[in-house]
Amino acid sequence: MGGGLILRYMWMVGLFAIVGNNWGAVEGAGECGQLDPELLIYKLASCAPSSQDKSVEVPPKCCGLMQKIRTSCLCAIILSKEAKSLGLNPAVAGTVPKRCKIAGRPRGYKCGAYVVE
């Protein structure tokens, strides 16, 4: 009986490990997975000043966030209604990743009428 219990326990641990490893890979249909670009813009609050004026230096916190976000998701955020209502300048916001000097970042991503550099 002890061996059967151990085997069941190991099976359950293995199952949770498999499900846990794949849970993060599940993505929604949108550019930001299951997250709403209209709300994600608030996570990028540290980027706001440099997204409105090219002469404003991009803060390190903003650049750290830029390393984690996919370009297609950034585009969705830049073009969101919320970004527009907050006065974000899409042409300037698209330059933030380049100004962060992130190595290996895709350049020239077409984002509506704008380009994410």
Side-chain angles (χ1 to χ4, degrees), residues 27-35 70 72:
E27 295 183 16
E31 292 85 356
C32 300
Q34 296 178 355
L35 303 174
R70 289 190 312 247
S72 59

Side-chain angles (χ1 to χ4, degrees), residues 8 10 31 39-40 46 61 64 68 70 94 107 114:
R8 276 186 266 164
M10 290 183 67
E31 292 85 356
L39 299 176
L40 281 176
S46 63
K61 182 177 180 181
K68 297 177 184 177
R70 289 190 312 247
R107 306 272 191 241
Y114 309 97

Side-chain angles (χ1 to χ4, degrees), residues 4-49:
L5 183 60
I6 291 172
L7 185 60
R8 276 186 266 164
Y9 175 76
M10 290 183 67
W11 182 83
M12 289 297 287
V13 169
L15 177 64
F16 286 128
I18 291 169
V19 170
N21 272 346
N22 290 320
W23 192 260
V26 175
E27 295 183 16
E31 292 85 356
C32 300
Q34 296 178 355
L35 303 174
D36 185 357
E38 300 287 340
L39 299 176
L40 281 176
I41 191 165
Y42 293 103
K43 296 243 184 216
L44 300 174
S46 63
C47 302

Side-chain angles (χ1 to χ4, degrees), residues 3-117:
L5 183 60
I6 291 172
L7 185 60
R8 276 186 266 164
Y9 175 76
M10 290 183 67
W11 182 83
M12 289 297 287
V13 169
L15 177 64
F16 286 128
I18 291 169
V19 170
N21 272 346
N22 290 320
W23 192 260
V26 175
E27 295 183 16
E31 292 85 356
C32 300
Q34 296 178 355
L35 303 174
D36 185 357
E38 300 287 340
L39 299 176
L40 281 176
I41 191 165
Y42 293 103
K43 296 243 184 216
L44 300 174
S46 63
C47 302
S50 54
S51 295
Q52 296 170 341
D53 185 350
K54 281 186 183 182
S55 66
V56 174
E57 186 177 336
V58 183
K61 182 177 180 181
C62 174
C63 289
L65 294 168
M66 286 294 128
Q67 289 179 332
K68 297 177 184 177
I69 194 166
R70 289 190 312 247
T71 306
S72 59
C73 181
L74 179 60
C75 177
I77 293 169
I78 289 171
L79 297 178
S80 69
K81 291 177 187 173
E82 194 64 23
K84 185 176 183 178
S85 73
L86 293 171
L88 185 106
N89 182 337
V92 176
T95 67
V96 171
K98 180 180 180 179
R99 291 164 43 210
C100 285
K101 299 179 176 108
I102 300 170
R105 181 102 180 154
R107 306 272 191 241
Y109 184 89
K110 191 77 170 146
C111 182
Y114 309 97
V115 175
V116 177
E117 299 179 31

